[in-house]
Amino acid sequence: MTDVTKTRISGDTEFTLMPVPISDRRATWKQILVWIGFGYVVTGLFVGGVLAGFGGQPGVSYHDALWSIALGMGALFILTSLLGVASQRTGFNLALLSRYSYGARGANIVMLVMALLTLGWFSSITGMVGQIWGSFLGNVSGITVFDPAAIGRSGFPAVTLEEFLSCVVFGIIFTYTAALGIKGLELIAIPVAPAILIIALWVGGGMLAEGGGYDVFVGKANQLGGLGMGTAITAVVGSWIAGAIMGCDLFRFNRNIPAVFLCAAACFIITNPLLNIIGYMGSISVGQFNYVAWMLKQGLGLAILGVIAWTLSLWTTNDGELYCNALYTRPFLHSYGLSVTKNKLVFGAGILGTILGALGFYQLFFNTFITVLGTVAPPLAGPIIADYFIVRKKYVVANYNRQPLYRSAGIASFLAAAVLALILQYAIIIPNLPSGLLSLVVAIALYPVLYSITADSAADRELGQAPVRASR
């Protein structure tokens, strides 16, 4: 009996612990729509607001905003594509790819960080949806479920009963559809993705017109300054670095390499830059980066359309977060001999994330969350990219269960780069230096050096997957 047959019998149709066979790869057009929906999240608008100096903070001019978006999203496109090529060729998800550069249990470092990232994102997005519905419904009941001021966090809005119940209801819905796996992601994304792009463009045009038109917008934008380009690029990259690394878990279903680049482009050349620009434009034109908040003030018809579009667009993203969370927690537990089904993990994380979202995680911790983990996450991909494209060792599928428990080159290069990123982010701040991208480059450069002088290279020779210099 083959491993794939065993996987099917066990009910693991998402191949959480096995490479995806060619027979189970998905149509390219379906995957592209998944990536459009996956990339459609409020942080794209939020980053546009950051670049525009929303809330009286320093911003960047129109020219610099376009450059920071282009450079930041370009870096994410390259990073995602590199990981995607490795994942598509091998059929491996992030957990299996990580074994070859971190070790069978060393890969748990990657799994732990990504599990926390995806749980935090699921909680935040559930809170975002609940907040919009709470704004739409109003506090009709007059009941406050949780007031941040009660724990010393004044200045944050209280969670009303309407917002709390909205989080609970949609958290349950998101969790159920995420449990359907990759087919569930396609089920939501295929009808929704084209519609939300059209609505975003249409509403962006409405905000621009209300603000006085394009010329007025450009004039106001060019008066902005004070936010360095390095900080602007870091904001763009940091907002989506988790999604870029998560790409492995979606790219393994691609049928060919061109599909990888098309999917990455759908997210980082089309969807996210569009949201960045709309958020930037809305902040300057009407003082609001969130176009749905603007729609709520334009009458009942647009308000209804806004909350529905917002919910559907974030639905696809949140399903992706929860779906990938199970792909990180299951291998983590499996490495210690604990066997838990994917659906149990999806429902467990979904319930926990829904509770956190309903109790104000988004309002209270979102900014700190994306800053800290966004700083640490980029170098996670460094050892994987360096191992596959620079060291260029053979990825022998039969060996994925025979990897050493720990690979010191991968672990050390990540930890060194992550510590450097934290120092540059919080201790030694260098203007115009994108610390996240720098730490990724450091991890990529450091890994081959450490690999050549540690036991990792000897282990690969023994496994028959020593580096080859001929092209693949």
Side-chain angles (χ1 to χ4, degrees):
M1 185 181 297
T2 65
D3 287 339
V4 172
T5 302
K6 292 178 183 178
T7 298
R8 295 190 193 283
I9 292 175
S10 69
D12 184 15
T13 56
E14 298 302 312
F15 301 95
T16 55
L17 302 174
M18 287 286 299
V20 178
I22 294 297
S23 59
D24 283 74
R25 305 295 176 96
R26 313 297 295 173
T28 298
W29 70 272
K30 291 183 178 180
Q31 290 290 91
I32 290 174
L33 290 177
V34 166
W35 272 92
I36 289 175
F38 182 53
Y40 199 102
V41 66
V42 69
T43 46
L45 298 169
F46 175 79
V47 168
V50 170
L51 300 180
F54 182 78
Q57 300 300 312
V60 293
S61 68
Y62 185 40
H63 176 271
D64 287 348
L66 292 179
W67 267 112
S68 60
I69 292 170
L71 293 173
M73 287 296 161
L76 289 169
F77 172 77
I78 293 170
L79 170 61
T80 307
S81 297
L82 289 174
L83 291 172
V85 167
S87 189
Q88 191 281 326
R89 284 176 173 170
T90 60
F92 289 168
N93 57 24
L94 180 62
L96 298 181
L97 273 180
S98 299
R99 291 187 179 194
Y100 288 76
S101 50
Y102 284 88
R105 285 192 180 170
N108 287 341
I109 295 174
V110 182
M111 298 302 97
L112 182 60
V113 173
M114 294 304 296
L116 289 173
L117 272 171
T118 49
L119 177 62
W121 271 110
F122 180 84
S123 304
S124 298
I125 293 173
T126 301
M128 294 173 195
V129 173
Q131 187 180 60
I132 284 295
W133 278 94
S135 298
F136 175 69
L137 297 172
N139 188 201
V140 179
S141 67
I143 298 174
T144 296
V145 175
F146 172 66
D147 186 356
I151 59 172
R153 301 296 299 273
S154 58
F156 293 92
V159 177
T160 65
L161 177 63
E162 289 77 7
E163 182 176 338
F164 179 85
L165 292 177
S166 296
C167 286
V168 171
V169 169
F170 285 108
I172 293 171
I173 294 173
F174 297 153
T175 301
Y176 174 75
T177 51
L180 298 177
I182 193 69
K183 293 181 180 179
L185 300 187
E186 293 175 352
L187 179 68
I188 304 301
I190 289 174
V192 169
I196 58 179
L197 284 180
I198 293 172
I199 291 172
L201 287 169
W202 174 54
V203 177
M207 291 193 297
L208 186 66
E210 182 178 309
Y214 180 78
D215 291 338
V216 174
F217 154 69
V218 172
K220 292 180 179 179
N222 287 335
Q223 296 175 17
L224 295 174
L227 184 69
M229 278 290 289
T231 304
I233 294 171
T234 298
V236 174
V237 173
S239 69
W240 250 95
I241 188 63
I245 298 174
M246 286 166 56
C248 294
D249 302 308
L250 302 179
F251 285 128
R252 64 199 176 109
F253 285 98
N254 284 163
R255 291 176 177 173
N256 50 55
I257 297 300
V260 170
F261 293 107
L262 290 173
C263 289
C267 183
F268 298 114
I269 295 180
I270 298 175
T271 308
N272 258 279
L274 172 65
L275 293 178
N276 293 158
I277 292 171
I278 290 176
Y280 181 82
M281 187 170 59
S283 293
I284 294 172
S285 297
V286 298
Q288 177 57 263
F289 65 83
N290 187 338
Y291 70 80
V292 178
W294 176 80
M295 293 174 75
L296 291 176
K297 301 176 181 179
Q298 306 304 309
L300 182 61
L302 275 182
I304 293 174
L305 177 62
V307 294
I308 292 175
W310 191 250
T311 304
L312 291 176
S313 63
L314 292 179
W315 189 344
T316 55
T317 304
N318 229 17
D319 273 7
E321 301 293 344
L322 201 53
Y323 169 78
C324 289
N325 183 272
L327 297 181
Y328 307 137
T329 53
R330 189 166 190 237
F332 181 94
L333 296 172
H334 187 266
S335 71
Y336 293 102
L338 300 174
S339 180
V340 184
T341 64
K342 176 187 72 71
N343 279 357
K344 286 182 179 179
L345 293 171
V346 166
F347 282 108
I351 292 171
L352 177 59
T354 298
I355 293 172
L356 291 173
L359 293 178
F361 180 88
Y362 166 59
Q363 295 91 327
L364 293 172
F365 304 112
F366 182 65
N367 286 342
T368 302
F369 163 72
I370 63 171
T371 301
V372 174
L373 290 182
T375 300
V376 174
L380 279 177
I384 300 171
I385 293 172
D387 191 60
Y388 193 87
F389 291 100
I390 299 177
V391 173
R392 300 183 67 187
K393 72 188 185 191
K394 301 174 185 176
Y395 272 56
V396 180
V397 176
N399 287 342
Y400 76 90
N401 268 332
R402 300 176 59 217
Q403 296 299 308
L405 287 180
Y406 302 98
R407 286 185 174 271
S408 54
I411 296 171
S413 58
F414 160 67
L415 291 177
V419 169
L420 174 64
L422 289 170
I423 291 173
L424 293 176
Q425 182 69 34
Y426 295 104
I428 306 173
I429 302 173
I430 302 175
N432 299 325
L433 180 69
S435 57
L437 285 182
L438 177 63
S439 66
L440 171 61
V441 173
V442 168
I444 292 173
L446 192 57
Y447 179 83
V449 177
L450 295 179
Y451 177 85
S452 66
I453 62 175
T454 61
D456 293 346
S457 55
D460 286 330
R461 286 193 296 272
E462 185 177 337
L463 289 170
Q465 56 184 39
V468 290
R469 297 305 171 192
S471 58
R472 293 181 179 274

